[in-house]
Amino acid sequence: MPTLVEPKLIAGNANKPLAEAIGRRMSLYRGKSVGLVDARVERFNDSEIFVEVFENVRGEDMFVIQPTSNPANDNLMELLIIADALRRSSAARITAVIPYFGYARQDRRTKARTPISAKLVANMMVTAGIERILTMDLHAAQIQGFFDIPVDNLYASPIFALDIKNQFDDLSDVMVISPDVGGVARARELAKRINAPLAIVDKRREKPGEVAEMTVIGDVTGKRCIIVDDMCDTAGTLCKAAEVLLDHGATEAHAYISHGVMSGPAVGRVTNSVLKTLVLTDSIQPTEAVKGAPNIRILPTAPMFAQSILNIWNGTSVSSLFETDSLGPIYEGIL
């Protein structure tokens, strides 16, 4: 169906390099320039956020690119205020492109008298005028149900599979590892894509952020192990899991993580760990420390997000990008 309006991109300050890269990829796909809408997102002296859009957006299909990563509250408020500014400027549709969805770990009540913050954030986004969400690797799939608007949840596993096939000459001794029981479905998806066996590291936590005990479920002897997870925060669990795998006979330990939160001592832990490589996506803007770490690599998500935005704009399938046949050509020459 022909579209009368152009897709327009606008970005907050959370990950400007990714937003600009998405614009460049869209320009390449369309054969015409797609840049970021001219706007300013600034702070007053008391840290209040102010947004001003300098271009006409009346009747336009707007895509706001803004991961809600650290500082989560500031970046979330930027997203909400940008959406409000666009809604009051008569934009036809507002889609929030949130490569990393903050507050996703607070998706249920784990104890009495605790919030479900992910649901609260969903309500705030809808109230601000956002009509569609495009995100990647939600921490919990049920968060999609927190919204009464369409949610497209992309997956990093197809990108990981393409990279693994390029990086590992022989996949016969490769094994995919889930770092906990809750991540088995994610690990199984990647294992199917590269036709590799699956094992699990069962962990028991005494309290959040601390792991008391780890047990390997499966035989990892002589295997090059690839740990796959949706996020790496302080990297304590990840580095300990790598040590446990080597203690159980694995020859190498690698990790593929969708979102590199990398807070606190994470970079130092990874650099000094037994991990041969840690591969992150750029859903969260990497710090200079992350970029400079010798055993950390960054995979681009701009090609996938650019094609997803174009598919949403055109009214075509986004789920087609879950398949290697569709995503492979987009990443040809990149990975």
Side-chain angles (χ1 to χ4, degrees):
M1 185 173 66
T3 308
L4 298 178
V5 297
E6 294 291 310
K8 287 196 171 183
L9 309 180
I10 187 170
N13 296 313
N15 197 341
K16 271 287 183 66
L18 175 58
E20 291 166 351
I22 291 172
R24 288 194 297 271
R25 296 303 300 188
M26 289 177 64
S27 301
L28 181 64
Y29 298 155
R30 300 194 64 212
K32 59 189 298 185
S33 178
V34 179
L36 300 180
V37 167
D38 188 16
R40 62 172 176 150
V41 183
E42 298 178 349
R43 280 162 178 73
F44 292 129
N45 291 332
D46 61 353
S47 295
E48 281 187 10
I49 295 166
F50 175 73
V51 171
E52 184 177 7
V53 182
F54 296 117
E55 296 182 26
N56 180 26
V57 297
R58 182 179 297 274
E60 300 287 1
D61 197 359
M62 301 299 304
F63 294 85
V64 187
I65 303 171
Q66 177 80 340
T68 51
S69 50
N70 183 38
N73 296 335
D74 286 1
N75 290 331
L76 174 59
M77 284 304 299
E78 280 190 12
L79 172 61
L80 299 176
I81 294 172
I82 292 171
D84 185 72
L86 295 175
R87 178 171 60 90
R88 295 177 187 278
S89 302
S90 302
R93 181 175 65 172
I94 303 170
T95 300
V97 182
I98 311 173
Y100 170 72
F101 189 94
Y103 283 101
R105 284 176 280 188
Q106 299 183 47
D107 62 308
R108 63 193 185 280
R109 294 187 67 190
T110 56
K111 297 178 182 178
R113 297 175 297 281
T114 57
I116 305 178
S117 302
K119 171 59 176 170
L120 173 62
V121 169
N123 292 344
M124 292 166 66
M125 289 182 181
V126 174
T127 301
I130 292 169
E131 298 167 69
R132 191 181 192 102
I133 302 291
L134 175 63
T135 186
M136 185 181 78
D137 273 345
L138 285 170
H139 183 66
Q142 67 264 22
I143 292 175
Q144 296 174 79
F146 292 175
F147 291 89
D148 292 325
I149 57 176
V151 177
D152 292 304
N153 183 30
L154 302 176
Y155 298 100
S157 59
I159 308 174
F160 290 165
L162 291 171
D163 186 73
I164 290 168
K165 289 174 182 177
N166 285 335
Q167 295 293 323
F168 293 79
D169 296 330
D170 182 11
L171 296 178
S172 61
D173 62 344
V174 169
M175 177 175 273
V176 176
I177 308 295
S178 173
D180 53 42
V181 175
V184 169
R186 183 181 296 105
R188 186 188 295 119
E189 170 68 17
L190 180 60
K192 284 182 180 178
R193 289 181 181 274
I194 64 173
N195 195 27
L198 176 68
I200 304 169
V201 176
D202 181 36
K203 64 185 178 185
R204 298 182 182 180
R205 291 185 185 272
E206 294 294 331
K207 58 183 179 179
E210 293 185 9
V211 179
E213 183 182 353
M214 283 188 168
T215 305
V216 178
I217 303 174
D219 184 10
V220 299
T221 304
K223 299 291 186 180
R224 288 185 290 172
C225 293
I226 297 176
I227 304 168
V228 58
D229 206 355
D230 68 313
M231 70 174 68
C232 176
D233 192 347
T234 60
T237 300
L238 179 64
C239 293
K240 188 169 183 179
E243 291 177 9
V244 170
L245 290 169
L246 292 186
D247 290 342
H248 281 72
T251 58
E252 292 177 3
H254 305 261
Y256 279 75
I257 308 295
S258 303
H259 308 296
V261 179
M262 305 301 285
S263 57
V267 175
R269 282 177 174 171
V270 171
T271 302
N272 298 318
S273 72
V274 298
L275 276 172
K276 190 166 184 181
T277 56
L278 167 61
V279 180
L280 307 170
T281 76
D282 59 355
S283 63
I284 297 174
Q285 185 174 345
T287 62
E288 291 303 317
V290 170
K291 293 177 184 177
N295 57 345
I296 298 179
R297 286 194 298 117
I298 308 295
L299 295 183
T301 57
M304 181 173 64
F305 276 110
Q307 188 62 58
S308 300
I309 290 171
L310 289 174
N311 287 7
I312 290 171
W313 171 63
N314 284 319
T316 55
S317 172
V318 173
S319 61
S320 63
L321 297 176
F322 301 166
E323 303 302 325
T324 303
D325 290 344
S326 301
L327 199 63
I330 296 173
Y331 275 88
E332 190 171 354
I334 298 175
L335 299 180

